[in-house]
């Protein structure tokens, strides 16, 4: 594998970067109050609407010049060429020599993207058709369990990208899902996860989807073997039952066969689909089983619309580009360490958890593509909770803490569950929070309320805390697809500016290797010779000496 990137100009040497550094010094004390007072149209002007998503980015600590410079930075970093390289199937994941083609997973049938001489779009649609056929047979009851009962329970076993997308999508699209079926998700190696997931399920009505790109992941394979035993125990060890109760989603046919699942019951995907970008691949099988194939295809079309927007829209009206550049602005010039993602939509309760992997596994890096250490910040921490729960938890820090935490508010004009005044009250909170964060409450305002002098400082909100507000009409499968693709491509934009590889994840390897070494040390009958540091040795001894079995 060759390093084709050694001539890239370091980010901090780019003209736009240097200009942004100077510009930041000039406007670091700028106040949103002033920006809005000086430009009464700001809240209408600094908005973009595309493919049914409305982004209000006016409450950011930016001027028109900031935007001009950020857009110039994007051009200087070759963002347009990098986008094209991804969409054309170039092997931009250079440390693994792989193409990065989650966009092919939602491309229309007639499209063509060639990797190593193969049109991957045809492969994608062949697997999609197989998923549709299978999910319809299960949902209609045609697919029967070992004893002839219909499948009522689906348990997805997977972790990371093989879990977070499916769980998030299941929760997000519950309104559209088949309510007569039960969906569970087992990811953690903690035995409690599996135990609780199946405790009330009838094995004769349960289908396990073992989802793993590699089919070697310790957690998933351990849980899958436990599921196999659980099933066999119910059927007197009859291994014939496995065919009716297990399917696999993987890139690794050999390991699937070794596990005992017929590869005819394997739904394939490919090494050019990163785990955290895989929910529109066969990893979405549980989603399709829950919402049906028609809704699944609608979700894919939402993803595709955002893909096309990202690929073709001018940068100044390109939603993912703007959001990505704003993140760079805060991370690198304001030193922001965290971004809060705040969906005011209960169905999106797992969306922040999903984004944690998408963003932090992608851009939590410190090596540039040419192998030198970055001299600037890369990914902030993304976290969040659905509104209004977060308000009664950590918003105190957002409003009055010492850290600057930009927020992404996400809301829908219509609720899926109309109930009295709930939705108006919910939305009033979104708008109130971004207003309060931006404009705060001055000492004069606090005093004017008759607050005693000693209490005044505690009740001041300095404001000037930035946020984006994203509005869509209604949470549909299509809207969900657009929203997720928006964040995927915002992450891409950030990675392209930082000059890092957003598509590998070497940082998760060391812990996995060390755990493999420690497992036999915990299980061995004889006292093992421990060669760790004194802390790790002592923790292992304490566990060994205290455990009962
Ligand atoms: O699908 P697999 O191969 O089981 O991997 C699961 C997850 O493990 C990781 O490789 C590392 O945590 C993720 O990137 C991936 O989504």
């Amino acid at each position: 594998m060759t390093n084709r990137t050694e001539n890239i100009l370091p980010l901090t040497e780019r003209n736009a970067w240097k200009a942004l550094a100077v510009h930041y010094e000039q406007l670091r004390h700028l106040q949103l109050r002033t920006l809005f007072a000086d430009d009464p149209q700001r809240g209408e002007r600094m908005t973009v609407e595309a493919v049914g998503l409305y982004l209000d980015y006016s409450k950011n600590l930016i001027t028109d010049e900031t935007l001009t410079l950020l857009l110039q930075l994007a051009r200087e970093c070759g963002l347009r060429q990098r986008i094209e390289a991804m969409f054309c199937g170039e092997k931009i994941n250079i440390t693994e020599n792989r193409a990065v083609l989650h966009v092919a997973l939602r491309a229309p049938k007639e499209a063509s993207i060639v990797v190593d001489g193969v049109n991957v779009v045809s492969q994608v649609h062949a697997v999609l058709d197989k998923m549709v056929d299978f999910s319809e047979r299960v949902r209609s009851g045609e697919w029967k369990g070992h004893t002839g009962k219909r499948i009522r329970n689906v348990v997805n076993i997977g972790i990371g990208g093989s879990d977070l997308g499916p769980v998030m999508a299941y929760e997000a699209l519950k309104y559209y899902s088949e309510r007569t079926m039960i969906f569970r998700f087992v990811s953690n190696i903690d035995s409690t996860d599996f135990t609780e997931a199946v405790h009330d399920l009838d094995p004769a009505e349960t289908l396990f989807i073992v989802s793993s790109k590699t089919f070697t992941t310790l957690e998933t394979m351990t849980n899958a073997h436990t599921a196999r035993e659980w099933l066999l125990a119910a059927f007197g060890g009859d291994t014939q039952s496995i065919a009716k109760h297990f399917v696999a989603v993987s890139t690794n046919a050999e390991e699937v066969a070794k596990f005992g699942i017929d590869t005819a019951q394997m739904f394939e995907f490919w090494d050019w689909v990163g785990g955290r970008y895989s929910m529109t691949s066969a990893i979405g099988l549980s989603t399709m089983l829950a919402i049906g194939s028609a809704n699944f295809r609608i979700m894919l079309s939402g993803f595709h619309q955002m893909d096309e927007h990202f690929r073709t829209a001018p940068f100044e009206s390109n939603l993912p580009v703007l959001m990505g550049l704003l993140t760079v602005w805060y991370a690198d010039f304001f030193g922001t360490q965290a971004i809060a993602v705040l969906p005011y939509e209960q169905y999106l309760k797992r969306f922040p958890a999903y984004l944690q992997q998408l963003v932090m596994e992608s851009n939590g890096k410190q090596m540039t593509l040419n192998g030198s250490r970055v001299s600037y910040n890369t990914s902030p921490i993304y976290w969040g909770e659905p509104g209004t729960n977060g308000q009664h938890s950590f918003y105190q820090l957002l409003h009055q803490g010492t850290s600057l935490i930009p927020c992404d508010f996400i809301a829908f004009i219509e609720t899926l569950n109309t109930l009295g005044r709930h939705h108006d009250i919910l939305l009033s909170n979104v708008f109130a929070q971004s207003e309060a964060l931006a404009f705060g409450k001055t000492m004069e305002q606090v005093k004017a309320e008759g607050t005693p002098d000693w209490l005044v400082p505690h009740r001041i909100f300095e404001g000037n805390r930035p946020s984006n507000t994203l509005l869509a009409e209604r949470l549909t499968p299509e809207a969900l697809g657009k929203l997720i693709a928006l964040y995927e491509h915002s992450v891409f934009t950030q990675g392209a500016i930082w000059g890092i590889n957003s598509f590998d994840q070497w940082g998760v390897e060391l812990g996995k290797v060390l755990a493999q070494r420690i497992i036999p040390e915990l299980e061995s009958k004889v006292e093992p010779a421990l060669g760790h540091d004194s802390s790790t040795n002592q923790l292992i001894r304490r566990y060994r000496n205290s455990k009962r079995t």
Side-chain angles (χ1 to χ4, degrees), residues 292-479:
S293 57
N295 276 324
F296 192 85
R297 285 191 193 274
I298 293 171
M299 181 182 81
L300 294 184
S301 120
F303 272 93
H304 179 64
Q305 289 172 58
M306 183 57 75
D307 294 342
E308 286 300 297
H309 167 73
F310 179 53
R311 188 179 191 177
T312 58
F315 286 170
E316 46 276 16
S317 54
N318 192 310
L319 292 166
V321 170
L322 289 171
M323 285 184 67
L325 289 175
L326 286 167
T327 302
V328 170
W329 172 236
Y330 290 119
D332 292 315
F333 296 93
F334 287 82
T336 291
Q337 298 286 337
I339 290 188
V341 182
L342 309 163
Y344 278 65
E345 169 53 70
Q346 184 63 20
Y347 285 125
L348 290 184
K349 66 180 182 193
R350 294 292 287 163
F351 190 61
Y354 171 78
L355 279 190
Q356 284 174 21
Q357 186 197 17
L358 176 67
V359 178
M360 296 196 270
E361 199 167 76
S362 296
N363 285 341
K365 315 269 164 75
Q366 51 177 256
M367 286 301 149
T368 63
L369 290 168
N370 61 13
S372 57
R373 197 185 182 288
V374 295
S375 57
Y376 40 83
N377 288 340
T378 59
S379 184
I381 296 156
Y382 273 62
W383 105 107
E385 276 290 319
T388 56
N389 298 7
Q391 291 176 205
H392 295 272
S393 161
F394 55 80
Y395 277 35
Q396 165 64 40
L397 183 148
L398 300 182
H399 286 285
Q400 288 187 319
T402 51
S403 307
L404 181 78
I405 302 184
C407 300
D408 285 353
F409 291 100
I410 301 169
F412 296 87
I413 304 289
E414 271 181 46
T415 175
L416 296 175
N417 298 296
T418 306
L419 205 57
R421 299 169 58 221
H422 283 251
H423 200 61
D424 287 344
I425 298 173
L426 178 72
L427 272 276
S428 74
N429 274 277
V430 188
F431 304 146
Q433 289 299 328
S434 71
E435 187 179 21
L437 285 165
F439 305 111
K441 195 170 181 183
T442 61
M443 183 163 69
E444 293 69 34
Q445 288 171 314
V446 177
K447 280 188 175 166
E449 288 172 349
T451 310
D453 281 353
W454 67 269
L455 193 53
V456 169
H458 298 277
R459 300 192 57 174
I460 291 171
F461 290 69
E462 61 188 23
N464 227 28
R465 302 185 179 225
S467 66
N468 289 314
T469 301
L470 271 168
L471 291 180
E473 201 53 37
R474 193 177 152 84
L475 178 55
T476 58
E478 184 178 311

Side-chain angles (χ1 to χ4, degrees), residues 96 157-164 211-221 249-251 269 274-278 283 357 361 503-509 512:
E96 296 177 308
I157 299 178
I159 197 164
S162 301
D163 167 69
L164 288 161
S211 297
S212 174
K213 180 173 170 178
T214 55
F215 231 74
T216 55
T217 304
L218 178 66
E219 291 89 339
T220 301
M221 296 329 295
V249 178
S250 188
T251 59
F269 66 117
R276 54 196 174 275
Y277 297 90
S278 66
I283 289 291
Q357 186 197 17
E361 199 167 76
F503 302 103
D504 59 12
Q505 57 284 319
W506 299 106
V508 299
E509 293 305 319
K512 288 186 193 172

